Amino acid sequence: MTAMRVGFIGLGRMGTGMAANLVKAGHQVTVYNRSPDKAAALTELGATVARTVAEACGGEAVVTMLADDHALESVVFGDGGILSSLPPGALHVSCSTVSVALSRRLTQAHTGRGQQFVAAPVFGRPDAAAAAKLFVVAGGAEDAIERSRPLFDAMGQRTFVMSNQPEAANLVKLSGNFLIAAVIESLGEAMALVGKGGVDPHAYLDMLTSTLFSAPVYRTYGDLIANRRFEPAGFAAPLGYKDISLGLAAGGDLRVPLPLASLLRDRFLTLLASGGETLDWSAIGQLAARDAGE
Ligand SMILES: NC(=O)c1ccc[n+]([C@@H]2O[C@H](COP(=O)([O-])OP(=O)(O)OC[C@H]3O[C@@H](n4cnc5c(N)ncnc54)[C@H](OP(=O)(O)O)[C@@H]3O)[C@@H](O)[C@H]2O)c1
């Protein structure tokens, strides 16, 4: 393993575990978070804490794991941001789920500064991030992807290279979250139906996941819906709304109608409008039961 000097920006639910795994793998990690308190636990593992974004940009690479387009834009393009602080030749690995349009803009901006940009959004919730079991979906120039490999290997269980265009990785990630949300909605409807008909949800899920629906997505989200366990959020509902909206925006740009995604966007709006801001995104799976008076 090649040890790298790497900055890590964004110590939220996902970033905390990912940064810790970079340290544990032997990389020299400097962490930065907007709210500084979240960095403290990582110093015990051996990370250095940066007081500014610029201080986290002194190495060969910087990884970002921020909430959304707005957060990533401000950290990259703001005063003392990544773009003006990262040395020429260094790498920005963006793991956040952001828009295709922003990924394209970042590719151009970093190239203009002689820096490299890789989009590497991930599948897996905070428990997978903490266990280094994420699936990394990567896009970028071949040599930039190769340089990023030691980082991917420390944070995930497998990396899928989608394209030499970073934005393609973001498109794939958005399509994946659309599919997960569709599963959550359809599971919620099916479980509302059998539940109101008197079937035990756990017995129902056991049957489903032992037969035709044995994929992890049915197990994970079926369990959350059956137990009505939407707090604390692993993936917060506003971020789910963001991802469906970004998928629809990409569909608009590419002239691809996504009627089911439009429906899901409204499901998220219903959830957010009715007190769901702090819940896990799987709480849309409870709306069907609510509509059924359960
Ligand atoms: N949670 C999941 O299951 C999951 C799975 C795969 C991908 N993702 C994606 O991973 C990304 C992070 O998700 P998360 O669940 O870790 O989110 P989170 O817990 O809400 O953390 C968000 C991070 O972004 C920072 N941030 C937000 N707005 C900012 C701003 N304007 N300027 C600077 N920093 C800002 C936060 O800093 P503060 O601490 O100061 O608020 C925090 O470090 C998102 O793009 C999400 O869609 C999440």
Side-chain angles (χ1 to χ4, degrees):
M1 203 279 292
T2 321
M4 292 171 74
R5 273 206 314 135
V6 55
F8 195 103
I9 299 176
L11 303 173
R13 293 179 182 90
M14 296 292 289
T16 300
M18 293 163 72
N21 285 325
L22 289 173
V23 179
K24 287 179 199 160
H27 297 293
Q28 232 179 293
V29 184
T30 302
V31 295
Y32 172 82
N33 196 57
R34 178 180 62 175
S35 321
D37 51 307
K38 293 185 188 162
L42 286 155
T43 55
E44 286 163 29
L45 285 176
T48 304
V49 177
R51 283 162 305 165
T52 61
V53 168
E55 276 181 27
C57 294
E60 300 140 73
V62 63
V63 180
T64 47
M65 191 50 165
L66 295 155
D68 53 18
D69 276 33
H70 170 70
L72 183 57
E73 271 175 321
S74 67
V75 162
V76 173
F77 297 106
D79 282 346
I82 294 176
L83 200 62
S84 58
S85 311
L86 203 61
L91 193 61
H92 174 193
V93 178
S94 164
C95 296
S96 319
T97 308
V98 291
S99 69
V100 172
L102 178 57
S103 193
R104 192 178 304 136
R105 185 174 163 218
L106 287 168
T107 306
Q108 286 164 358
H110 282 300
T111 305
R113 294 270 184 158
Q115 302 153 347
Q116 288 188 305
F117 178 66
V118 166
V122 297
F123 285 107
R125 288 167 61 88
D127 54 342
K133 294 283 185 206
L134 294 170
F135 293 108
V136 179
V137 178
E142 207 176 317
D143 60 327
I145 298 271
E146 284 318 306
R147 286 178 70 197
S148 311
R149 288 250 181 224
L151 306 176
F152 297 158
D153 292 347
M155 298 186 291
Q157 57 176 302
R158 189 167 165 195
T159 298
F160 298 83
V161 179
M162 288 294 135
S163 169
N164 58 9
Q165 299 297 320
E167 68 195 60
N170 298 97
L171 187 63
V172 169
K173 169 64 189 171
L174 294 173
S175 77
N177 274 17
F178 158 61
L179 278 173
I180 298 171
V183 166
I184 295 171
E185 172 64 24
S186 54
L187 259 180
E189 291 184 22
M191 288 169 77
L193 179 67
V194 299
K196 198 166 183 184
V199 175
D200 175 64
H202 298 282
Y204 178 65
L205 256 190
D206 183 36
M207 180 281 295
L208 284 183
T209 57
S210 306
T211 54
L212 298 182
F213 301 91
S214 63
V217 68
Y218 287 100
R219 293 179 196 282
T220 301
Y221 289 103
D223 196 49
L224 292 174
I225 297 168
N227 291 310
R228 302 189 175 196
R229 204 174 55 234
F230 306 120
E231 281 177 297
F235 182 54
L239 294 182
Y241 172 67
K242 164 201 64 136
D243 291 355
I244 298 302
S245 304
L246 293 180
L248 283 165
D253 288 345
L254 291 166
R255 300 290 187 262
V256 180
L258 300 165
L260 185 51
S262 298
L263 180 149
L264 289 166
R265 178 180 170 279
D266 275 351
R267 285 309 240 180
F268 278 107
L269 277 179
T270 301
L271 177 67
L272 295 174
S274 54
E277 288 279 342
T278 61
L279 300 181
D280 193 79
W281 74 325
S282 53
I284 62 160
Q286 182 60 25
L287 295 177
R290 202 163 81 187
D291 292 347
E294 289 292 281

